[in-house]
Amino acid sequence: MAAFVGRICGSGLLSPKGGATLQKVGKYVTSFTGQVRPGGVATAAGVLVGGAGALLYALEQSVSASGTEVHPPELPWNHKGMLDSLDHASVRRGYEVYKQVCAACHSMRFIAYRNLVGVSHTEAEAKAEAEEIQVRDGPDEAGNYFMRPGKLSDYFPSPYPNEEAARAANNGAYPPDLSYIALARHGGEDYLFALLTGYCDAPAGVVLREGQYYNPYFPGGAISMAQALYNEAAEYSDGTPPTASQLAKDVSTFLVWAAEPYHDERKRMGIKSVGIIMILGALSYYIKRHKWAALKTRKISFHPKSK
């Protein structure tokens, strides 16, 4: 791509055959700026900065276009609108999917049980969920560590004691933490849903190593995580049919909430802010017209006194 841009520019600075070096580039820039009048330095700098920005953009686009993964389609999520909130029933079901399926391999070490209160669970329900785990605490008065039931302030437990144990249990692959996965992956929830439901047989010519599976939405196609969501892979407490697509949709919504717990509050504050700005803007316009209308429309005339 750099050689192509160099041929277009005709400067030869980016051509691999031109033997471009930092010294040559420096000499070229020095000779170029030496011919510019003092008044044109700003113009020359603007041209250089603009050309560098265009080059970086072209390189970024070429790298993005060279990927072998399939880009996920954009899906009509309930929370995609500017005034739409998350589906909290789906968030609750997504937590159940994570607890029953995903928690066996993936951690969410930045989410505490208290975060569920008022979102998907009541305080009593969140306490009951926390008490199902055992947390190492201490030391006590005798200096010993002990195990206790979880509390609302405890974070979701990790399935492995450390990264080495996680890699050893997954053929060298490290399962990523899911706390911010919806923001850390390009495409967000669209990518998560497509990844969870996009497993298929590898096409001809694609060789997978032992313990790898083919997913066209994963960069490179070869993924170490086996397909985890099937029909009835988990159970919903509200009786919703647990189809594979329903499970993927709910856990994707849950991960969106986990990555951005203030999603609904942000949109609520946006609505309030826009409303206040509109009211204040209308009042300001009225006061401006009321105060300045007489001054802007007045006519000053001079009448000399007659002798």
Coordinates of all heavy atoms in Angstrom, one line a residue, residues 62-113:
S62 N -6.7 -0.4 4.3 CA -6.2 -1.5 3.6 C -6.0 -2.7 4.6 O -6.2 -3.8 4.2 CB -4.8 -1.2 3.0 OG -3.9 -0.8 4.0
V63 N -5.6 -2.4 5.8 CA -5.5 -3.4 6.8 C -6.8 -4.0 7.2 O -7.0 -5.2 7.3 CB -4.7 -2.9 8.1 CG1 -4.8 -3.9 9.2 CG2 -3.3 -2.5 7.7
S64 N -7.8 -3.1 7.3 CA -9.2 -3.6 7.7 C -9.7 -4.5 6.6 O -10.4 -5.5 6.8 CB -10.1 -2.4 8.0 OG -9.6 -1.6 9.0
A65 N -9.5 -4.1 5.3 CA -10.0 -4.9 4.2 C -9.3 -6.2 4.0 O -9.9 -7.1 3.3 CB -9.9 -4.0 2.9
S66 N -8.1 -6.3 4.6 CA -7.4 -7.6 4.4 C -7.8 -8.7 5.3 O -7.2 -9.8 5.3 CB -5.9 -7.3 4.5 OG -5.6 -6.8 5.8
G67 N -8.7 -8.4 6.3 CA -9.1 -9.4 7.2 C -9.9 -10.5 6.6 O -10.6 -10.3 5.6
T68 N -9.8 -11.7 7.1 CA -10.5 -12.9 6.6 C -11.8 -13.1 7.3 O -12.5 -14.0 6.8 CB -9.6 -14.1 6.7 OG1 -9.2 -14.3 8.0 CG2 -8.3 -13.9 5.8
E69 N -12.1 -12.5 8.4 CA -13.3 -12.7 9.1 C -14.5 -12.1 8.4 O -14.4 -11.1 7.7 CB -13.2 -12.2 10.5 CG -13.2 -10.7 10.7 CD -11.8 -10.2 10.6 OE1 -10.9 -10.9 10.2 OE2 -11.7 -9.0 10.9
V70 N -15.7 -12.6 8.7 CA -16.9 -12.1 8.1 C -17.5 -11.0 9.1 O -17.5 -11.3 10.3 CB -18.0 -13.2 7.9 CG1 -19.3 -12.6 7.4 CG2 -17.4 -14.2 7.0
H71 N -17.9 -9.9 8.6 CA -18.4 -8.8 9.5 C -19.8 -9.2 9.9 O -20.6 -9.5 9.0 CB -18.3 -7.5 8.8 CG -16.9 -7.0 8.5 ND1 -16.1 -6.5 9.5 CD2 -16.2 -7.1 7.4 CE1 -14.9 -6.2 9.0 NE2 -14.9 -6.5 7.7
P72 N -20.2 -9.0 11.2 CA -21.5 -9.4 11.6 C -22.5 -8.4 11.1 O -22.3 -7.2 10.9 CB -21.4 -9.3 13.1 CG -20.3 -8.4 13.4 CD -19.3 -8.6 12.3
P73 N -23.7 -8.9 10.8 CA -24.8 -8.0 10.3 C -25.3 -7.2 11.5 O -25.2 -7.6 12.7 CB -25.9 -9.0 9.8 CG -25.7 -10.2 10.6 CD -24.2 -10.3 10.8
E74 N -25.9 -6.0 11.2 CA -26.4 -5.1 12.2 C -27.8 -5.6 12.5 O -28.7 -5.7 11.7 CB -26.4 -3.7 11.7 CG -26.9 -2.7 12.8 CD -26.8 -1.3 12.3 OE1 -26.2 -1.1 11.2 OE2 -27.2 -0.4 13.1
L75 N -28.1 -5.9 13.8 CA -29.3 -6.5 14.2 C -30.2 -5.4 14.9 O -29.7 -4.5 15.5 CB -29.1 -7.6 15.2 CG -28.3 -8.8 14.6 CD1 -28.0 -9.8 15.7 CD2 -29.0 -9.4 13.4
P76 N -31.5 -5.6 14.9 CA -32.4 -4.5 15.5 C -32.6 -4.8 17.0 O -33.6 -5.2 17.5 CB -33.7 -4.8 14.8 CG -33.7 -6.2 14.4 CD -32.3 -6.6 14.1
W77 N -31.6 -4.4 17.8 CA -31.7 -4.6 19.2 C -32.6 -3.6 19.9 O -32.8 -2.5 19.4 CB -30.3 -4.4 19.9 CG -29.3 -5.4 19.4 CD1 -28.4 -5.3 18.4 CD2 -29.0 -6.7 20.0 NE1 -27.7 -6.4 18.2 CE2 -28.0 -7.3 19.2 CE3 -29.5 -7.4 21.1 CZ2 -27.5 -8.6 19.5 CZ3 -29.0 -8.6 21.4 CH2 -28.0 -9.2 20.6
N78 N -33.2 -4.0 21.0 CA -34.2 -3.1 21.6 C -33.6 -1.9 22.2 O -34.3 -0.9 22.4 CB -34.9 -3.9 22.8 CG -35.7 -5.1 22.3 OD1 -36.2 -5.1 21.1 ND2 -35.9 -6.1 23.1
H79 N -32.3 -1.9 22.5 CA -31.7 -0.8 23.1 C -30.9 0.1 22.2 O -30.1 1.0 22.6 CB -30.7 -1.3 24.2 CG -29.7 -2.3 23.7 ND1 -30.0 -3.6 23.7 CD2 -28.5 -2.1 23.2 CE1 -28.9 -4.2 23.2 NE2 -28.0 -3.3 22.9
K80 N -31.0 -0.1 20.9 CA -30.2 0.6 19.9 C -30.6 2.1 19.7 O -29.9 2.9 19.3 CB -30.2 -0.1 18.6 CG -29.1 -1.2 18.4 CD -27.7 -0.6 18.5 CE -26.7 -1.7 18.3 NZ -26.6 -2.1 16.9
G81 N -31.9 2.3 19.9 CA -32.4 3.7 19.7 C -31.9 4.7 20.7 O -31.4 4.3 21.8
M82 N -31.9 6.0 20.4 CA -31.4 7.0 21.2 C -32.3 7.1 22.5 O -31.7 7.5 23.6 CB -31.5 8.4 20.5 CG -30.5 8.4 19.3 SD -30.5 10.1 18.5 CE -30.0 11.1 19.9
L83 N -33.5 6.7 22.5 CA -34.4 6.8 23.6 C -34.8 5.5 24.2 O -35.7 5.4 25.0 CB -35.7 7.6 23.3 CG -35.4 9.0 22.7 CD1 -36.8 9.7 22.4 CD2 -34.6 9.9 23.6
D84 N -34.1 4.4 23.8 CA -34.5 3.1 24.2 C -33.6 2.6 25.3 O -32.4 2.8 25.2 CB -34.4 2.1 23.0 CG -35.4 2.4 21.9 OD1 -36.5 3.0 22.2 OD2 -35.1 2.2 20.7
S85 N -34.2 1.9 26.2 CA -33.4 1.3 27.4 C -33.2 -0.2 27.1 O -33.7 -0.8 26.2 CB -34.2 1.5 28.7 OG -35.4 0.8 28.6
L86 N -32.3 -0.7 28.0 CA -32.1 -2.2 27.9 C -33.3 -2.9 28.3 O -34.1 -2.5 29.1 CB -30.9 -2.5 28.8 CG -29.5 -2.1 28.4 CD1 -28.5 -2.2 29.5 CD2 -29.0 -2.8 27.2
D87 N -33.4 -4.1 27.7 CA -34.5 -5.0 28.1 C -34.0 -5.8 29.4 O -33.2 -6.7 29.4 CB -34.7 -6.0 27.0 CG -35.9 -7.0 27.3 OD1 -36.5 -6.9 28.4 OD2 -36.3 -7.8 26.4
H88 N -34.6 -5.3 30.5 CA -34.1 -5.9 31.8 C -34.5 -7.3 32.0 O -33.8 -8.0 32.7 CB -34.6 -5.0 33.0 CG -33.9 -3.6 33.0 ND1 -33.1 -3.2 34.0 CD2 -33.8 -2.6 32.1 CE1 -32.6 -2.0 33.8 NE2 -33.1 -1.6 32.6
A89 N -35.6 -7.7 31.4 CA -35.9 -9.2 31.5 C -34.9 -10.0 30.7 O -34.5 -11.1 31.2 CB -37.3 -9.4 30.9
S90 N -34.4 -9.4 29.6 CA -33.4 -10.1 28.9 C -32.1 -10.1 29.6 O -31.3 -11.1 29.5 CB -33.2 -9.5 27.5 OG -32.3 -10.1 26.7
V91 N -31.8 -9.0 30.3 CA -30.6 -9.0 31.1 C -30.6 -10.1 32.2 O -29.6 -10.7 32.5 CB -30.4 -7.6 31.8 CG1 -29.3 -7.6 32.8 CG2 -30.2 -6.5 30.7
R92 N -31.8 -10.3 32.8 CA -31.9 -11.3 33.9 C -31.7 -12.7 33.2 O -31.0 -13.5 33.8 CB -33.2 -11.2 34.5 CG -33.5 -12.2 35.6 CD -34.9 -12.2 36.2 NE -35.1 -13.2 37.2 CZ -35.1 -13.0 38.5 NH1 -34.8 -11.7 39.0 NH2 -35.3 -13.9 39.4
R93 N -32.3 -12.9 32.1 CA -32.1 -14.2 31.4 C -30.7 -14.4 31.0 O -30.1 -15.5 31.1 CB -33.1 -14.3 30.2 CG -34.6 -14.4 30.6 CD -35.4 -14.9 29.4 NE -35.3 -13.9 28.3 CZ -36.1 -12.9 28.1 NH1 -37.1 -12.7 29.0 NH2 -36.0 -12.1 27.1
G94 N -30.1 -13.3 30.5 CA -28.7 -13.4 30.1 C -27.7 -13.7 31.3 O -26.8 -14.5 31.1
Y95 N -28.1 -13.2 32.5 CA -27.3 -13.6 33.7 C -27.4 -15.1 33.9 O -26.5 -15.8 34.3 CB -27.7 -12.8 34.9 CG -27.2 -13.4 36.2 CD1 -25.9 -13.2 36.5 CD2 -28.1 -14.1 37.0 CE1 -25.4 -13.7 37.7 CE2 -27.6 -14.6 38.2 CZ -26.3 -14.4 38.6 OH -25.8 -14.9 39.7
E96 N -28.6 -15.6 33.7 CA -28.8 -17.1 33.9 C -28.0 -17.9 32.9 O -27.5 -18.9 33.3 CB -30.3 -17.4 33.9 CG -31.1 -16.8 35.0 CD -32.6 -17.0 34.8 OE1 -33.0 -17.5 33.7 OE2 -33.4 -16.7 35.7
V97 N -27.9 -17.4 31.7 CA -27.1 -18.1 30.7 C -25.7 -18.1 31.1 O -24.9 -19.1 31.0 CB -27.4 -17.5 29.3 CG1 -26.5 -18.2 28.3 CG2 -28.8 -17.6 28.9
Y98 N -25.2 -16.9 31.5 CA -23.8 -16.8 31.9 C -23.5 -17.7 33.1 O -22.5 -18.4 33.1 CB -23.5 -15.4 32.3 CG -22.2 -15.2 33.0 CD1 -20.9 -15.3 32.3 CD2 -22.1 -15.1 34.4 CE1 -19.7 -15.2 33.0 CE2 -20.9 -15.1 35.1 CZ -19.7 -15.1 34.4 OH -18.5 -15.1 35.0
K99 N -24.4 -17.7 34.0 CA -24.2 -18.6 35.2 C -24.2 -20.0 34.9 O -23.3 -20.8 35.5 CB -25.3 -18.2 36.3 CG -25.2 -19.1 37.5 CD -26.4 -18.7 38.4 CE -26.4 -19.6 39.7 NZ -27.5 -19.3 40.6
Q100 N -25.0 -20.5 34.0 CA -25.2 -21.9 33.7 C -24.2 -22.4 32.7 O -23.8 -23.6 32.7 CB -26.6 -22.2 33.3 CG -27.6 -21.9 34.3 CD -29.1 -22.2 33.9 OE1 -29.3 -23.2 33.2 NE2 -30.0 -21.3 34.2
V101 N -23.8 -21.5 31.8 CA -22.9 -21.9 30.6 C -21.6 -21.3 30.6 O -20.5 -21.9 30.7 CB -23.7 -21.7 29.3 CG1 -22.8 -22.1 28.1 CG2 -25.0 -22.4 29.3
C102 N -21.6 -19.9 30.6 CA -20.3 -19.2 30.3 C -19.4 -19.2 31.5 O -18.2 -19.1 31.4 CB -20.7 -17.8 29.9 SG -21.8 -17.6 28.5
A103 N -20.0 -19.2 32.8 CA -19.1 -19.1 34.0 C -18.2 -20.3 34.2 O -17.3 -20.2 35.0 CB -20.0 -18.9 35.2
A104 N -18.4 -21.4 33.4 CA -17.5 -22.5 33.6 C -16.1 -22.2 33.0 O -15.2 -22.9 33.4 CB -18.1 -23.7 32.8
C105 N -16.0 -21.2 32.1 CA -14.7 -20.9 31.5 C -14.3 -19.4 31.6 O -13.2 -19.1 31.7 CB -14.7 -21.3 30.0 SG -14.9 -23.1 29.7
H106 N -15.3 -18.5 31.6 CA -15.1 -17.1 31.6 C -15.4 -16.5 32.9 O -16.3 -16.8 33.6 CB -15.9 -16.4 30.5 CG -15.6 -16.9 29.1 ND1 -14.5 -16.4 28.3 CD2 -16.1 -17.9 28.3 CE1 -14.5 -16.9 27.2 NE2 -15.4 -17.9 27.1
S107 N -14.5 -15.5 33.3 CA -14.7 -14.7 34.5 C -15.4 -13.4 34.2 O -15.4 -13.0 33.0 CB -13.4 -14.5 35.2 OG -12.5 -13.7 34.3
M108 N -15.9 -12.7 35.2 CA -16.4 -11.4 35.1 C -16.0 -10.7 36.4 O -16.8 -10.4 37.3 CB -17.9 -11.3 34.9 CG -18.4 -11.9 33.6 SD -20.2 -11.6 33.3 CE -20.2 -9.9 32.9
R109 N -14.7 -10.4 36.5 CA -14.1 -10.0 37.8 C -14.4 -8.5 38.1 O -14.0 -8.1 39.2 CB -12.6 -10.2 37.8 CG -11.8 -9.5 36.7 CD -10.4 -10.0 36.6 NE -9.6 -9.4 35.5 CZ -8.9 -8.3 35.8 NH1 -8.8 -7.8 37.0 NH2 -8.2 -7.8 34.8
F110 N -15.0 -7.8 37.2 CA -15.3 -6.4 37.5 C -16.8 -6.2 37.8 O -17.2 -5.0 38.0 CB -15.0 -5.5 36.3 CG -13.5 -5.5 36.0 CD1 -12.9 -6.1 35.0 CD2 -12.6 -4.8 36.9 CE1 -11.6 -6.1 34.7 CE2 -11.2 -4.8 36.6 CZ -10.7 -5.5 35.5
I111 N -17.6 -7.2 37.9 CA -19.0 -7.2 38.2 C -19.3 -7.8 39.6 O -18.9 -8.9 39.8 CB -19.9 -7.9 37.1 CG1 -19.6 -7.3 35.8 CG2 -21.3 -7.7 37.5 CD1 -19.9 -5.8 35.6
A112 N -19.9 -7.1 40.5 CA -20.2 -7.6 41.8 C -21.7 -7.9 41.8 O -22.5 -7.4 41.0 CB -19.9 -6.5 42.9
Y113 N -22.1 -8.7 42.8 CA -23.5 -9.0 43.0 C -24.4 -7.8 43.3 O -25.6 -7.8 43.0 CB -23.7 -10.1 44.0 CG -23.2 -11.5 43.6 CD1 -21.9 -11.9 43.9 CD2 -23.9 -12.3 42.8 CE1 -21.4 -13.1 43.5 CE2 -23.5 -13.5 42.4 CZ -22.2 -13.9 42.7 OH -21.7 -15.2 42.2

